[in-house]
Amino acid sequence: MKQALLSYSLLASGAYAFPWVANQPGVDSSLFAARKAFKRQQTPEGAGDAAHCPFNANHVPAAPVTSKYPYNNAKNGIPGNGKGGYQVPATGDTAHQFVAPGPNDVRGPCPGLNAAANHNFLAHDGITTFNELVDAQQNIYNVGYDLAVLLALLGLTLADGDIVTQKLSIGCDATTRTSFSPTLTGSEPGLDGHNKFEADSSLTRNDFFTHGGDNFRFNGTLFGKMDNTCQSSFTREHLSVYRNQRWHESQVENPNFFFGPLTLLLYGAASFLYELMPSGTHGYAPDLATISSFFGAEKQSDGTWKYVYEKIPPNWTNRVAPYTNNDVTLEIVSMYLENPVLFGGNTADGSFDGLNFGAIKNGTISPGITAKETSCLLYQLVTGQAMPSSLNGVITPTVDALTFALTKLGATGLKNLGCPIPLTK
């Protein structure tokens, strides 16, 4: 396999290496017109697009926490108590009991958010807000306020949501319900949007281009592979092996495979299986019973796995200490370095090009990376800095988007790390 260095400042070369880039929202494809050899990759339309997105005319906000059932007492997007170890949902709290999604409710590629919506910690129709996201992460999973803000910002600022209304679809393109002005904003694809929050080589979701745009539905075959690799114990060590396997599968099967800087989020999401999902009633073990419930996976008599909706397990108690930004950055790097893979993508001539971005050098992360460098990588992603998934030479963060992100981050520790602030047009 040829390994080359991809400079994201060379826009035409980047478009040739990753053909789908020219079709991304906001990219001026005329910049690539001189490349006669450029082969356009049409973006497939699937159930994640606006035409197929469920519509629920009866939008009801998330059920709030109360004095009787306070959980972490996180409300209105501000810090909660930061003390876990309690049962979710609490006995007697009917407002947060499981309710299966209806045909008009939106669900997406993130099991943890789907479960939150099924328990009304997020709006049940799947059209949520920045504040709901920050509150739900704290109240259900005892995610630290800094990380809750970071993840909510990533959802809104990666062209998935709307920074004016602060609304986001946890699944498909619901622009008419999230955007303050669809004419001005264009498409807001939600978390299904490819190579934004969602990316190739997911744990249990298909690659976008290999399955006609279906990058959000549960794949029972992949869940079974994950369970087999992890031996029903979803630890960092086992998930690192499985993440490596998924990279190689996607790289071989997907001609448009792209593993950019945003795929760091895949390692962060994988850490949730052993850091956020385990229950105190199971000794905080990342066991199959717990993980299959959160993923909505039910094993059939023939050994296959069927999707049955994501659900918080019975008598589930969350982690005691908050899961902070520092915690997740350490897990991302540790999981990656146990079984490292290349950052980059398949090219039109059948080779693979590595990339440079922040602490990613020549397609890899150095074993000597510091905690600050890792945190700054995430900071760069949330503030919209140059990245090959969107080619910042063409798409730059707006002043409004950057101001919004920096304002929200101002209440977290990231503001004190000395990370570079991106330039805007």
Side-chain angles (χ1 to χ4, degrees):
M1 179 186 297
K2 182 185 77 174
Q3 181 179 347
L5 171 63
L6 172 67
S7 172
Y8 55 79
S9 63
L10 301 177
L11 302 183
S13 299
Y16 178 72
F18 311 112
W20 51 267
V21 167
N23 295 321
Q24 293 299 289
V27 175
D28 181 1
S29 59
S30 68
L31 294 174
F32 314 126
R35 292 300 297 252
K36 300 300 183 182
F38 173 65
K39 180 181 179 182
R40 289 187 180 276
Q41 171 65 50
Q42 294 298 321
T43 299
E45 291 188 356
D49 61 22
H52 297 88
C53 193
F55 178 80
N56 190 332
N58 184 30
H59 172 77
V60 179
V65 299
T66 64
S67 57
K68 186 174 182 180
Y69 304 110
Y71 299 102
N72 242 328
N73 206 34
K75 304 176 183 178
N76 304 316
I78 62 174
N81 298 330
K83 297 179 181 179
Y86 51 78
Q87 181 175 319
V88 183
T91 301
D93 181 11
T94 57
H96 291 110
Q97 296 304 307
F98 171 80
V99 178
N104 297 324
D105 295 325
V106 172
R107 295 295 182 268
C110 178
L113 294 185
N114 291 344
N118 291 342
H119 285 268
N120 299 300
F121 283 96
L122 297 178
H124 198 265
D125 66 355
I127 308 301
T128 189
T129 66
F130 175 85
N131 284 352
E132 283 187 0
L133 288 166
V134 173
D135 296 345
Q137 292 176 77
Q138 295 179 85
N139 288 323
I140 302 175
Y141 303 108
N142 196 20
V143 172
Y145 181 69
D146 58 348
L147 180 55
V149 168
L150 184 74
L151 293 175
L153 280 174
L154 283 167
L156 282 176
T157 61
L158 294 178
D160 293 322
D162 192 292
I163 63 169
V164 176
T165 64
Q166 299 188 27
K167 292 181 179 180
L168 169 73
S169 165
I170 67 171
C172 51
D173 186 332
T175 303
T176 58
R177 285 162 282 170
T178 59
S179 173
F180 79 96
S181 175
T183 302
L184 294 177
T185 64
S187 172
E188 295 177 348
L191 294 188
D192 289 355
H194 183 51
N195 276 327
K196 297 184 176 83
F197 211 93
E198 175 279 334
D200 292 333
S201 71
S202 165
L203 295 178
T204 62
R205 266 58 176 176
N206 303 316
D207 283 6
F208 182 82
F209 283 110
T210 59
H211 287 76
D214 182 5
N215 58 353
F216 53 90
R217 287 192 180 93
F218 171 83
N219 183 320
T221 300
L222 290 179
F223 186 88
K225 288 182 178 180
M226 181 173 71
D227 179 42
N228 289 336
T229 298
C230 293
Q231 304 171 50
S232 299
S233 178
F234 301 86
T235 63
R236 180 214 293 160
E237 293 73 20
H238 289 157
L239 285 166
S240 176
V241 172
Y242 181 62
R243 280 245 35 84
N244 182 281
Q245 291 174 357
R246 289 291 294 128
W247 187 98
H248 285 90
E249 287 175 356
S250 290
Q251 195 276 323
V252 170
E253 297 171 0
N254 182 1
N256 291 279
F257 175 69
F258 184 73
F259 201 77
L262 290 172
T263 53
L264 286 168
L265 302 177
L266 295 179
Y267 290 91
S271 78
F272 298 166
L273 276 68
Y274 58 85
E275 291 289 354
L276 297 183
M277 293 181 179
S279 172
T281 55
H282 286 209
Y284 291 108
D287 56 31
L288 180 60
T290 302
I291 301 306
S292 61
S293 182
F294 273 111
F295 274 75
E298 182 179 80
K299 195 167 189 177
Q300 306 301 292
S301 58
D302 61 359
T304 61
W305 290 90
K306 175 184 176 182
Y307 178 60
V308 292
Y309 301 128
E310 299 86 348
K311 187 176 184 180
I312 298 173
N315 303 311
W316 183 80
T317 59
N318 62 8
R319 59 179 286 132
V320 176
Y323 192 48
T324 66
N325 182 63
N326 185 60
D327 294 331
V328 77
T329 54
L330 291 175
E331 290 303 322
I332 287 171
V333 172
S334 297
M335 189 185 300
Y336 171 82
L337 290 177
E338 285 185 18
N339 292 278
V341 294
L342 290 174
F343 291 88
N346 289 341
T347 66
D349 65 4
S351 61
F352 183 92
D353 278 4
L355 58 86
N356 283 338
F357 177 80
I360 299 172
K361 305 295 184 184
N362 299 317
T364 63
I365 293 177
S366 168
I369 187 173
T370 66
K372 175 182 175 180
E373 288 173 326
T374 309
S375 294
C376 282
L377 257 179
L378 297 180
Y379 180 90
Q380 287 173 313
L381 301 184
V382 78
T383 54
Q385 291 210 44
M387 63 191 89
S389 64
S390 59
L391 296 178
N392 201 48
V394 178
I395 302 175
T396 55
T398 66
V399 173
D400 288 342
L402 180 56
T403 300
F404 177 81
L406 293 177
T407 299
K408 295 297 185 182
L409 288 174
T412 74
L414 277 176
K415 67 175 181 176
N416 297 318
L417 289 176
C419 302
I421 297 176
L423 299 177
T424 63
K425 289 183 178 179

